[in-house]
Amino acid sequence: MDNEKSKRINDALVSLVDVLLPPELSYAERRDAAVEQARRTLASRPGPAEVSDVNHVSDLIKKKLWRENDAPDKAVQYSNLYSRLLTQPVLSQKWAILFLLHQLGDSQVMQPTEVLSLSPEERGSSQRLGTARQARGDVAIQDDSQPASRGTVSPTQFSKASTLDNVANGIDAHIEVQYQGQGGKPSEMALDPVSQTAASTAPSESALLRDLPFTLQGVSSTNLPFTSISTLCLPPTLPLPIISLLHTLAEPSLLYKSLSEFVDSRDEGLIGQSFRSAIGTELRSYMGLIATLEGEIRRAAKSLDPKEPRGGIGKAGVTLKRCTVWTREATMGLRLLSLMVEQSKSRKGGQLISMIHAFSTSHGDPFVGAFAERMLTHVTRPFYDMLRQWIYDGELSDPYHEFFVIERDQDGNGDRELDPRRAPATSVWEDKYKLDETMVPSIITEDFARKVFLIGKSLNFIRYGCADSAWVEAYSKDASRELRYGDTATLETSIDQAYKTTMERLIHLMDDKFKFFEHLNALKKYLLLGQGDFIALLMESLAPNLDRPAGSQYRHTLTAQLEHAIRSSNAQYESPDVLRRIDARLLEFSHGDIGWDLFTLDYKVDAPVDVIITPWANKQYLTVFNFLWRVKRVEYALGTTWRRCMTGSRGVLASVDDKLGRDWKVVRCCIAEMIHFINQLQYYILFEVIEASWDQLQASIHKPGCTLDDLISAHTNYLKAVTHKGLLGSSARSSSSSSTHSREDSFMSQLHEMFKIMLTYKDAVDGLYSVSVAEFTRRQEQAAKVETRTAQGKWGATDRDADTDDLHSPSPTSLASDSNHPRDRARKAASHLNTTNAQLLSRDTDSPFPISAAAIAAGLAGSSGDDQMLPALRSRLRDLSHDFVTRVNVLLGDLLTQPDVDMKFLGVVMNFNDVYHPKRRRRGGDAHRDRERKTPAASVATAAGQGAGKGSGADAISVAGAGAGGGGKGVRPEEKKAVK
């Protein structure tokens, strides 16, 4: 089989030589010599280090035909021949055939004198043949403006990332070639004797070949000296073809010299050092090529014959042109390395890897792609070492800031103090590391980088935040494996497995060891008032204490009442860890505050749970609790008053129904209206807002693959939904409002004003109840007096008693009809009292005891005082009811214009029977005038609400001293403002 193959090769070579050599006298001898040289050439040269791509070689040949021929006939003919070649199944080495033809077309045509000396006639004809071929372009003088082979890479192919200028010559912009001599440029070759004499003094090709290995290594020689790192001097007396070849050979020489200097330089960076090491490996391969080339040159130098034309260099088989071909692939590699070095000056770490990776992905040349992939294999080793340590140990080993994960202290923020309001664990999780997207290499995606970042941060948090370093070390020992470039499947599998394992462990620790979900449920129960029996008992036990001024509140008293509420409710079945975290405390107070304004519950959380329940979250919980506590207080006050009205209607109030029955009917309707408003508001906050948001939170934190960041995000969204909807959008209100839009225009301000109105109305109702009790007591005393007189055998009632009742008890209609102004009504009541006293003093009496003026004043003080305050109370109750309805209408009008569906639904529920008439709130001057409007007889009503208390009707009740009466409940300053 081998003999047959050798025979076929020999026949092909003979046929090729017969075609190329013209028949002459010494044809047989010349043919044998040419065939023998062809055999030696095939045996001495290894196969080309090219990628076996048939289509690529075909395209190169076609481009060459288009370039060298003006008409497209040659290219069309070649396309037809190429199509026929592809259809031949016998020829298995189609690429080798096309590559050989392409190389033959690129090579300089061998002159007959290189094989055998010719006669003068033959030499002349051969010279004319060479001149003609050179004119046609058959003799290839290197034209740097066009690529000379398949793999020639010019810097213009990388113009988008390169700063090179001389891209047409294929040489770095900082590299130049100079010529020895005075002119500085090679002279044109001429055929005159003077030029031939100058050419005879130029270095021979064999001398240039002898110096070529030194030149390719960047070392100066006799004929080709280096004047600087970027300058190579060429002899000016050389012919243009030799100059062109030396131009081509000077490029790898100068590139190697500059690259060697770059490799010897120092770089502070592991990836930068690895990049230099990879370049050094490529340069060592280049030096191996030079060593091989030097061996060929030395072997050829031994066979040179000075008697032969050109020293017999043609027979030796090594020429400058062949050296150019042999170093072509190495030159392309050096060009790529030079481009990479030029672009790497402003890059480091992941940016450097991305730059090299761009050569393998954004370039169509297979040689460039394979070269860049080989470089990446070496350059990415430090990167994958950092990646392995980060995803398996949770430690960042990046002394030169080349990884895409940055530690805050390393990012120049070491002197920056962290926010003191943030918890320590929160700082470890959110502030210790950050992801630098500019350093993410293009060999991984953004999502992949975020997953890697989360894995390492979670491991670091488990080690230091959760104090579970033993698990991290065991996990690292079991799961750690080597990572390298190109093994994409193993890398993705490792990352996915590490991500799943780390997240499962972290969630397990937060649930099992640190009881995060239990704490979350406790916050909902006790700070968002989800534990109803506990809240009811706490408010009932704290109400007497919280009614007192803020200065008389003591923390130990509040703590004792809190423990009592816990022991008396279902809260006693909570775990001890939860109960010890619940605490009662007082906020900072100012003058005029009472206990209700300061009291708050607190729930303490420790690290690492405070990563999720942050100080900001605690503040949100406190805000919602204070608002709900205020709602509960109003509900408790209205409920207490309602129970008193209902129980009194069957006793005390029934006895005075003839005098105050109509007033109590109106009062009960208004209180029922307020209770409906409070109940609907509570239902909306507790169920439509908190429970709905809680369901969404549970769905988010219990989904598969949940991470700690997911828990933080879900809890933050939960609190934002509760504060925004539960507080009726007050948290989303812009702070840059107009001057005409005061704080009273916000929903929270409206609700607080309505709460004040309700509490003030409750105090006024208590005053009315006190008046009713006083009237009932007076009637009871009168009845007892009648019984006593009757038992003594006297008249139970005399004319004087009847007149006194008529005088001291003017009808409500008469007082109300005289004047609508409270001052007029009070003035008439006082005048009526003076008239009554005068009449009593001037009237005769049949009593055995004389009646003095002091006795009359003392006897009439209770009834006359109640009669004076009753019209003011009626007016006060009527004004407060009207103010409440007005504010409800404004609030409903604002709710109906909100974009949120739940807030609109709140307005619908509050006005389900259309008893209210929603309207837009007033702005500007109307609101200002409304705030300046004063309610009539405010001081009288306040005294009436607070002064009657639980005292007897016989006690003297004065307007000025009413605030110190029986109930002991002082009027709050803000309530006084609401009264005005």
Side-chain angles (χ1 to χ4, degrees), residues 673-887:
E673 206 172 327
M674 293 178 179
I675 290 176
H676 169 75
F677 177 85
I678 287 295
N679 288 339
Q680 294 303 324
L681 181 62
Q682 280 194 101
Y683 165 79
Y684 165 75
I685 297 174
L686 296 178
F687 293 94
E688 296 294 339
V689 176
I690 295 179
E691 288 298 333
S693 301
W694 178 261
D695 290 340
Q696 295 178 1
L697 174 64
Q698 293 298 311
S700 300
I701 64 181
H702 289 102
K703 66 181 180 181
C706 183
T707 65
L708 187 59
D709 280 334
D710 293 337
L711 292 180
I712 296 174
S713 177
H715 185 251
T716 302
N717 294 333
Y718 164 71
L719 288 180
K720 287 182 178 179
V722 170
T723 53
H724 175 68
K725 292 184 179 181
L727 304 181
L728 300 184
S730 62
S731 61
R733 181 173 174 83
S734 176
S735 59
S736 59
S737 58
S738 175
S739 60
T740 59
H741 296 74
S742 62
R743 295 182 66 253
E744 293 182 359
D745 293 334
S746 67
F747 284 115
M748 286 297 296
S749 298
Q750 292 184 63
L751 289 175
H752 286 312
E753 291 300 324
M754 295 175 72
F755 294 160
K756 293 178 183 178
I757 292 174
M758 294 178 191
L759 293 174
T760 306
Y761 191 85
K762 178 255 182 189
D763 292 337
V765 172
D766 289 342
L768 182 62
Y769 189 84
S770 299
V771 172
S772 301
V773 171
E775 178 65 21
F776 173 77
T777 304
R778 189 182 63 80
R779 292 186 181 187
Q780 291 292 328
E781 291 178 352
Q782 183 68 25
K785 185 177 181 181
V786 170
E787 291 180 0
T788 303
R789 289 182 178 180
T790 303
Q792 294 175 356
K794 299 179 181 180
W795 294 101
T798 63
D799 293 339
R800 186 190 61 184
D801 295 334
D803 293 340
T804 302
D805 292 339
D806 294 337
L807 292 173
H808 289 176
S809 302
S811 63
T813 56
S814 64
L815 290 174
S817 61
D818 290 339
S819 177
N820 292 328
H821 199 281
R823 294 180 180 177
D824 295 338
R825 291 195 294 268
R827 185 173 61 252
K828 288 187 176 293
S831 176
H832 176 74
L833 177 62
N834 295 331
T835 304
T836 302
N837 293 336
Q839 291 176 355
L840 290 175
L841 289 173
S842 63
R843 182 181 294 272
D844 295 334
T845 177
D846 57 354
S847 173
F849 301 99
I851 302 176
S852 64
I856 293 174
L860 299 178
S863 60
S864 62
D866 293 340
D867 292 338
Q868 290 179 33
M869 289 185 294
L870 185 58
L873 283 173
R874 288 171 177 165
S875 176
R876 179 63 176 153
L877 291 171
R878 184 170 57 252
D879 291 341
L880 290 173
S881 176
H882 176 73
D883 196 6
F884 173 76
V885 173
T886 301
R887 290 185 178 275

